Amino acid sequence: MNRDETADLDTNRASLRQSYQRILRLYPRSYRAHREAEILDVLEESAGPGQQRPRLGELVALAGLGLRAWSRRTMSPDRGLSRNTLSVLAIMLPLLTVFQAGASLHLAYVMRLASWQMNILTPGWLLWAITALLTTVVPAAARWTGLVATTCFAACIFLLLKDGADSSATMALGYLVLQLCAFALIWDTGRLRRGRDLIGRRRVLVAATALGLAGVAYSAATHYYVHHITGSLTMHVLPILGGAGILAGLVALTKPAGRAALPLLGAIAAAVYSFKDLAGSLANSGPRTRPFGSLQALDIPVALALPVAAFVLLRLVTAVVNFRVAGDRNAVEPRSTGSDVATGASVPDSP
Amino acid sequence: MSQRLQEPSFLILSSLAGGAKHGYGIIKEVQELSAGAVSMKVGTLYGALDRLAAEHLIEVDREEIVDSRLRRYYRLSADGAVLLSTEATRINTQANVALRRLRVAGMHP
């Protein structure tokens, strides 16, 4: 082999290696740290003489390997991130109640004593709004106000059900899912302190104010709509929770744990909707807001599938955001050293 | 043991039963074992290696640097050897039954 042929081979090999490196750059960082050098070696050894570009079959197999690595990385966050995720969620779930507290307070003001069913839940919501503020100001007190708020809410639901299972009662049963989840998370004050440190007290207070005002604005708009256009008084769960979820999600979107919390938040919000709808079906009264009408056999599967679908969808969205953030970070920071490939250990929870 | 092995995993474990090998060594051996019928892609190989390592059926034997490149050698674990033996026996038994019946039917010499 003469010198020119050797030079050509070296050029081809370098070009092929760069192509493979570009593909492997799309893999999760932890996986690359463990496997990249080894896979590159085998890819180069497997290449045919003079090969300049990856073959289609190899590209497909590498794409499959990357997808599996990402799915492992996405679906199995490490223990530290899970702990932070629950901490962030412990702050975010009570924040959701502030939106409803604002809406409920406005509705109580507008309705005054016109309808006791519409006003009876307001104290429970207000107590939860206070709890949401206490989670970052006095975490040790939040669990007790949360307990009082949830008990008060449950007692009011009992009164509503006693009076007849109308839409207020079934919706309140849905909201009780949210409150019980929030209460379970805020019971650990250490978790609340960690969540406060991760998100920042000021950010929580700003978000609480924004959510409360948004709730008032939503209620005002809905009130105008129902009184002047439809003539009936119905507050749907989905726009309330969806809007509040987006706002609460923005609070922690800049943190890995915040992004990891969003799918859980979405799943809980969807569970509130599902449970409310299921309660409505069981009581066989109140407005039927879901599009499945008479398909009773599907009620329970649909109720279970909705939170799962919300979780998976938001997990995919946050995986894309994480990928972009990791790409930005890699562009300015040196790559970290190896980590466990089977678990796909993640980066620490840095801003 | 009720665990079943897919063909790529079976071939990888079979190749490692002959001694520790690195990725390219496994690919070559799998091609030989399957008489050229299976040409394993690198992406497929590492997907299988990840899975087999997670199930503790293989383990890292050693790492070498060859021409400034990392080469990691894998070996069959004790669990992997048991599973491979079970699976090979099962396949062998089934194949024997099939051949015996074909012979009785006069469709196999």
Side-chain angles (χ1 to χ4, degrees), chain A residues 28-50:
Chain A
R29 192 157 51 137
S30 54
Y31 192 84
R32 274 165 49 209
H34 181 75
R35 283 265 193 243
E36 187 175 30
E38 183 189 354
I39 292 177
L40 269 177
D41 174 56
V42 179
L43 283 167
E44 284 185 61
E45 269 192 290
S46 313

Side-chain angles (χ1 to χ4, degrees), chain A residues 223-289:
Chain A
H223 179 73
Y224 174 82
Y225 173 75
V226 296
H227 270 274
H228 296 272
I229 300 174
T230 68
S232 67
L233 195 61
T234 307
M235 286 183 69
H236 291 288
V237 174
L238 205 58
I240 295 172
L241 285 174
I246 290 165
L247 278 171
L250 288 173
V251 173
L253 202 60
T254 53
K255 303 275 184 182
R259 289 191 289 276
L262 281 183
L264 286 169
L265 185 73
I268 291 170
V272 170
Y273 178 75
S274 284
F275 196 82
K276 183 251 350 168
D277 224 19
L278 207 56
S281 286
L282 288 171
N284 201 23
S285 67
R288 305 289 294 242
T289 51

Side-chain angles (χ1 to χ4, degrees), chain A residues 11-273:
Chain A
T11 312
N12 290 346
R13 199 172 295 161
S15 160
L16 184 64
R17 186 180 175 84
Q18 279 174 357
S19 300
Y20 283 135
Q21 278 175 326
R22 272 197 293 273
I23 296 163
L24 294 176
R25 223 171 278 155
L26 299 173
Y27 283 32
R29 192 157 51 137
S30 54
Y31 192 84
R32 274 165 49 209
H34 181 75
R35 283 265 193 243
E36 187 175 30
E38 183 189 354
I39 292 177
L40 269 177
D41 174 56
V42 179
L43 283 167
E44 284 185 61
E45 269 192 290
S46 313
Q51 186 184 335
Q52 285 183 324
R53 295 186 184 285
R55 295 196 178 98
L56 182 64
E58 195 62 81
L59 280 177
V60 172
L62 287 173
L65 181 65
L67 282 175
R68 276 195 296 276
W70 267 114
S71 70
R72 257 200 313 275
R73 170 72 181 78
T74 308
M75 297 303 170
S76 315
D78 68 304
R79 192 174 289 178
L81 186 61
S82 300
R83 207 169 68 134
N84 287 349
T85 300
L86 290 181
S87 304
V88 167
L89 206 60
I91 302 289
M92 287 163 80
L93 279 185
L95 272 180
L96 284 188
T97 67
V98 180
F99 185 93
Q100 188 57 33
S104 197
L105 199 63
H106 173 266
L107 196 65
Y109 171 74
V110 172
M111 299 300 292
R112 297 200 181 81
L113 296 175
S115 164
W116 70 270
Q117 286 97 337
M118 294 307 295
N119 299 328
I120 194 170
L121 298 171
T122 306
W125 285 120
L126 284 178
L127 278 168
W128 260 109
I130 292 166
T131 305
L133 292 173
L134 287 176
T135 54
T136 51
V137 183
V138 193
R143 59 158 76 166
W144 300 113
T145 51
L147 179 65
V148 175
T150 312
T151 310
C152 171
F153 204 84
C156 293
I157 291 172
F158 176 75
L159 287 175
L160 283 172
L161 287 172
K162 221 174 127 190
D163 192 51
D166 65 353
S167 61
S168 304
T170 54
M171 260 195 286
L173 276 169
Y175 287 135
L176 195 60
V177 173
L178 170 70
Q179 296 190 5
L180 288 171
C181 289
F183 179 64
L185 285 171
I186 66 166
W187 190 253
D188 183 347
T189 49
R191 185 184 288 144
L192 284 180
R193 289 197 182 92
R194 201 162 45 243
R196 178 189 62 188
D197 293 343
L198 280 167
I199 297 177
R201 184 185 294 176
R202 197 174 147 201
R203 205 180 286 188
V204 174
L205 295 177
V206 169
T209 309
L211 284 166
L213 291 174
V216 171
Y218 177 83
S219 174
T222 311
H223 179 73
Y224 174 82
Y225 173 75
V226 296
H227 270 274
H228 296 272
I229 300 174
T230 68
S232 67
L233 195 61
T234 307
M235 286 183 69
H236 291 288
V237 174
L238 205 58
I240 295 172
L241 285 174
I246 290 165
L247 278 171
L250 288 173
V251 173
L253 202 60
T254 53
K255 303 275 184 182
R259 289 191 289 276
L262 281 183
L264 286 169
L265 185 73
I268 291 170
V272 170
Y273 178 75

Side-chain angles (χ1 to χ4, degrees), chain A residues 31 35 38 41 45 58, chain B residues 22 42 46 50 69 72 74:
Chain A
Y31 192 84
R35 283 265 193 243
E38 183 189 354
D41 174 56
E45 269 192 290
E58 195 62 81
Chain B
H22 75 297
V42 179
Y46 278 94
D50 288 341
R69 295 190 306 204
R72 192 173 279 143
Y74 297 90

Side-chain angles (χ1 to χ4, degrees), chain B residues 63-79:
Chain B
E63 289 181 354
E64 287 177 4
I65 303 294
V66 180
D67 295 335
S68 333
R69 295 190 306 204
L70 175 71
R71 194 163 280 183
R72 192 173 279 143
Y73 286 79
Y74 297 90
R75 65 166 177 258
L76 199 61
S77 71
D79 285 352

